[in-house]
Amino acid sequence: MPNGYDFVTVANRLPVDLTVADDGSVTSERAPGGLVTALEPIMQARHGAWVGWPGAADLELEPFDSDGIRLVPVPLSAGELEDYYEGFSNDTLWPLFHDVIAPPAFHREWWDAYRRVNKRFADAVAGVAAHGATVWVHDYQLQLVPGLLRELRPDLKIGYFHHIPFPPWEIFAQLPWRAAVIRGLLGADLLGFQRASDAANFLRNVRRLTDLKVSGALVTIPGEQERQVRASAFPISIDSKAFDELARSEAVQARAAEIRRDLGNPKTVLLGVDRLDYTKGIRHRIKAYGELVAEGRMPVGEAILVQVASPSREKVRAYMELREDVELAVGRINGEVGELGSPAIEYLHHTYPLEEMAALYVAADVMLVTSLRDGMNLVAKEYVAARVSDDGVLVLSEFTGAADELSGSVLVNPHDIEGLKDAMEFAAQLPQRDARRRMRRLRRRVLEDDVAKWSAAFLDTLDAMHGGPRG
Ligand code: G6P
């Protein structure tokens, strides 16, 4: 690497699943994901590197190549994982940025670790980026990186994308280190958010916490070299065509039919697919469904709810408690209203490969995305992309980024249990013709606005801020 890399992606995680064998040897497998799919062609064409944590504590790895991309591991100790990842990222910022659904904890030692780890990421990027390279930083775990990186390398073009909601001032103001976070973000040239309201919240926070001039989407940073930072919405998407093709494949279609058979060929299969996270509204959804069954509106045998909850952040207390609550609720409902061989809810605490997910989407008549707050929610888009038969109904929370885009879904307020029940029943009983009309509209949107278009829009805007493309 004599001159460094022209395009550097920075995210908390590297796009690989690493396995450490008993003898300490490490093997890596590319982890599938929207971001990797979107960035892979750009990274391969532009001499790209990806800087991130390799996914296990105390793993010191040399940089390595994988499918034409340089992977640069940033090590984290067990203590740093506790304080930076589980602590500040996922027990302070995550709840604070999701409407304080769970109470955020504020600890000075967590903040110290967050600063220290963000600096380590910035140093790693500074060490591999070519002169004038484009650096794209991702998500709330790394909000200080743009500022730290600009100090080290003012020659770089720095973009940042925030994948989760950005809170209004009334909530953000609680953060003891609020001004430092805003300063960190303002190190970027372009800040991307999921929704226009997230960008507006950010800009309002800038106004409240700094004396900087904010005009429309632009913040002016004075200095020897005055510069401008743009904050705008770039709603993220999925590799829609790949999903559509996967769903059309014989193997996935056959597996979908098998799933329906295994479920006892009910009239209606309802599906929830989430990381087991309190922002996803799983408790509310299960409660509403249990009541529908108990009231005879969704009789067992005729309908079934399949809830896939993939394990997530299992060392954070709020996640442990959520798991207990959800599993207790499912057990109680199945015990009370289920019948031998016919549960009301089929609950799966697993992570599945993409093919199985596609088969579940193909098998489901009604998809339930009922988050209490969600940056975008890509499950909603995956369901739509997988509905190659143009039918199926998406029940979607108003509090997701996806709700701004996906008209054709049945919108719900997940806090309104009666409204949620009515929406589920409405979706299950919607005449085919109406369901198809809605789904066709949704599919046009999701197939048109895919993740390649999203990354191109972001990177073109970043280039334009520097007076055109380079490299
Ligand atoms: C959300 C965040 C991502 C994060 C993912 C999985 O989608 O926006 O930044 O990577 O959740 O969470 P984890 O803590 O397992 O990385």
Side-chain angles (χ1 to χ4, degrees):
M1 187 213 56
N3 301 315
Y5 294 86
D6 295 324
F7 186 91
V8 184
T9 299
V10 197
N12 178 53
R13 285 177 189 274
L14 281 179
V16 285
D17 285 327
L18 293 180
T19 320
V20 187
D22 289 342
D23 65 357
S25 63
V26 179
T27 45
S28 78
E29 210 179 303
R30 181 61 65 85
L35 198 58
V36 202
T37 325
L39 298 181
E40 200 158 32
I42 311 166
M43 307 251 305
Q44 284 164 351
R46 285 171 75 170
H47 203 209
W50 187 308
V51 176
W53 168 56
D58 295 307
L59 208 52
E60 303 261 358
L61 296 176
E62 287 304 312
F64 59 101
D65 290 321
S66 161
D67 293 336
I69 300 174
R70 185 72 164 171
L71 300 184
V72 183
V74 176
L76 294 178
S77 69
E80 283 165 347
L81 272 183
E82 270 176 35
D83 292 349
Y84 148 78
Y85 171 72
E86 280 144 16
F88 200 77
S89 296
N90 290 320
D91 212 6
T92 305
L93 293 174
W94 183 267
L96 187 75
F97 282 36
H98 285 89
D99 286 358
V100 293
I101 297 166
F106 302 115
H107 296 297
R108 284 163 287 182
E109 36 324 343
W110 289 2
W111 165 247
D112 291 341
Y114 185 79
R115 274 201 312 201
R116 200 167 58 244
V117 171
N118 271 245
K119 177 75 168 80
R120 188 173 308 150
F121 273 82
D123 287 341
V125 177
V128 297
H131 185 81
T134 296
V135 177
W136 195 354
V137 184
H138 290 269
D139 228 358
Y140 63 101
Q141 304 93 341
L142 301 176
Q143 290 176 97
L144 306 182
V145 170
L148 294 166
L149 196 53
R150 183 167 295 281
E151 276 175 29
L152 295 165
R153 293 286 305 272
D155 59 296
L156 300 174
K157 268 188 221 178
I158 306 173
Y160 169 93
F161 187 75
H162 193 78
H163 292 250
I164 69 172
F166 205 93
W169 166 251
E170 288 71 16
I171 289 180
F172 186 68
Q174 290 181 21
L175 186 68
W177 310 281
R178 57 200 188 184
V181 168
I182 294 291
R183 268 200 309 278
L185 290 170
L186 286 172
D189 298 295
L190 176 62
L191 295 164
F193 296 89
Q194 300 282 23
R195 299 173 307 163
S197 55
D198 295 315
N201 284 346
F202 171 77
L203 289 165
R204 190 152 160 257
N205 285 315
V206 172
R207 280 208 182 86
R208 294 298 297 250
L209 289 166
T210 72
D211 297 328
L212 299 170
K213 186 173 150 246
V214 180
S215 163
L218 295 176
V219 184
T220 303
I221 316 280
E224 247 173 67
Q225 272 213 312
E226 186 177 284
R227 63 183 187 93
Q228 290 194 310
V229 183
R230 175 180 290 278
S232 321
F234 295 87
I236 200 171
S237 191
I238 56 165
D239 189 355
S240 328
K241 222 169 283 125
F243 236 93
D244 171 280
E245 276 164 22
L246 184 62
R248 282 178 204 280
S249 72
E250 242 171 70
V252 166
Q253 289 289 327
R255 174 68 188 136
E258 188 178 50
I259 290 172
R260 287 196 75 106
R261 247 190 341 267
D262 289 351
L263 293 172
N265 276 322
K267 192 165 140 264
T268 312
V269 175
L270 299 98
L271 175 66
V273 172
D274 311 86
R275 266 188 316 103
L276 190 47
D277 192 299
Y278 50 80
T279 59
K280 303 292 183 184
I282 304 171
R283 276 184 281 225
H284 297 62
R285 186 185 311 159
I286 285 174
K287 182 184 176 82
Y289 188 73
E291 289 187 17
L292 281 176
V293 180
E295 289 163 16
R297 290 162 70 183
M298 289 270 179
V300 160
E302 249 180 58
I304 189 162
L305 169 61
V306 178
Q307 175 64 53
V308 177
S310 50
S312 185
R313 305 175 190 165
E314 292 181 283
K315 290 188 182 145
V316 181
R317 177 157 301 282
Y319 289 74
M320 295 178 198
E321 285 170 4
L322 174 70
R323 181 169 178 195
E324 300 276 304
D325 288 358
V326 166
E327 295 183 355
L328 192 69
V330 171
R332 188 167 285 165
I333 291 168
N334 280 338
E336 278 171 8
V337 298
E339 284 163 22
L340 208 62
S342 284
I345 303 173
E346 187 84 55
Y347 168 78
L348 304 152
H349 185 241
H350 292 303
T351 304
Y352 291 105
L354 222 53
E355 289 74 17
E356 183 72 359
M357 293 315 307
L360 280 163
Y361 294 142
V362 171
D365 306 291
V366 176
M367 183 77 214
L368 302 174
V369 175
T370 60
S371 315
L372 305 178
R373 177 56 78 197
D374 216 325
M376 173 53 64
N377 196 291
L378 294 178
V379 164
K381 293 189 174 181
E382 287 177 0
Y383 177 69
V384 170
R387 298 305 300 179
V388 292
S389 50
D390 277 351
D391 58 1
V393 185
L394 172 64
V395 174
L396 182 61
S397 162
E398 291 166 18
F399 304 116
T400 60
D404 278 14
E405 295 183 84
L406 296 186
S407 54
S409 55
V410 176
L411 288 181
V412 286
N413 169 3
H415 296 280
D416 172 8
I417 299 295
E418 287 306 324
L420 196 50
K421 286 160 66 182
D422 291 345
M424 288 185 192
E425 196 177 32
F426 172 81
Q429 292 174 356
L430 194 66
Q432 269 289 339
R433 244 187 39 179
D434 296 341
R436 282 176 181 280
R437 196 171 32 80
R438 284 170 176 269
M439 186 49 74
R440 275 198 291 267
R441 198 160 151 206
L442 287 167
R443 284 181 58 78
R444 268 197 301 277
R445 183 75 196 245
V446 171
L447 285 161
E448 169 81 7
D449 293 342
D450 67 0
V451 73
K453 194 165 160 186
W454 166 78
S455 55
F458 183 90
L459 293 172
D460 287 350
T461 309
L462 181 57
D463 277 337
M465 298 211 50
H466 281 259
R470 56 185 302 160

